Amino acid sequence: MFGREGRLVLVNGQYRPVVPAAPGRAQRWRLVNGCTSRVLAVRLEGHTLQQIAQDGTFLPSPAPRQQLVLAPGNRADVVVQPDRAGRFTLIADPYDRGSGMGGAPASTGPVPLATLVVDGPAAVAPALPATLPAEPPPASATATRSTSFRMGMGGMRGGRGDAMPMSFTVDGRAYDPDRDDQIVAAGTVEEWTVTNTGPLAHPFHLHVWPFTVVAASDGRPPLGVPQDVVLVPPGGWVRLRIPFTTHTGRSVYHCHILDHEDAGMMATITVR
Ligand SMILES: [Cu+2]
């Protein structure tokens, strides 16, 4: 129900690798949450992560983060500037993904991911640029649309005692690649409200057309730049602005918890 989480979290295929660094020398890390279900709330002991990009596009300016929350599929570029020698653990803190239908909480951790080992002669860290080449978000939308992630309770089938599987759907329908779920007129900018009717957070991922988050029901401040995965809080919603101005064609959107997607929490979108 929560999506399977592996026993180990690997970094570049390695278990708790060492990342060498020199004091004062900046490193750019491209963090990708490639986990099937786990939300990674990442922090580096003794350091502030300077986030410069999300899902491959620049933020307007470097944003200092004590902790960076990455849903499965999310990416972030961060600059790490160690200012002293020492060993510092990169940690994924427990993150509350909500709960399952029976109320069991979905949270694990903390998980040590890697160790930054800083030693050697000190260098002077260059200053980060004050502004970054961020794409401006679309100013307004010309159409609205709603869609919802739904998780249904399993149960016993009428008297025969067969267990019915839980259902994972978009708008109550399991994925059918031959069905058109959303048809969008090419050239429009749409505002989508993506709701989550269940008690567990689902990461929404739209292929092909990046979106800018306008607001979220949990009050998270939007990043204000295009991204392609956003966590929809339990019993909540996110509002997205999506320019369908670059490509026509057919694609999909889905929950980025792979077990949910595989069970049917995916839908088609056709832009024409
Ligand atoms: Cu999901």
Side-chain angles (χ1 to χ4, degrees), residues 58-166:
F58 279 116
L59 304 188
S61 57
R65 310 277 187 218
Q66 297 311 316
Q67 188 193 62
L68 191 57
V69 175
L70 298 174
N74 270 137
R75 289 90 69 212
D77 288 34
V78 298
V79 174
V80 176
Q81 287 183 312
D83 58 4
R84 61 197 180 282
R87 296 174 69 88
F88 308 95
T89 308
L90 183 69
I91 297 166
D93 279 326
Y95 182 85
D96 179 8
R97 295 202 278 134
S99 63
M101 306 303 274
S107 180
T108 54
V111 180
L113 301 174
T115 309
L116 181 73
V117 176
V118 186
D119 62 12
V124 178
L128 288 172
T131 60
L132 299 167
E135 249 178 77
S140 60
T142 50
T144 59
R145 193 179 295 262
S146 295
T147 189
S148 62
F149 283 146
R150 301 184 199 177
M151 200 165 80
M153 192 62 132
M156 302 308 271
R157 213 188 301 262
R160 299 206 321 256
D162 306 338
M164 280 200 319
M166 291 198 59

Side-chain angles (χ1 to χ4, degrees), residues 1-2 149 151 168 200-203 255-261 265:
M1 167 190 351
F2 300 141
F149 283 146
M151 200 165 80
F168 294 91
L200 185 67
H202 298 281
C255 173
H256 216 296
I257 293 174
L258 301 189
D259 285 327
H260 294 178
E261 165 201 322
M265 200 174 252

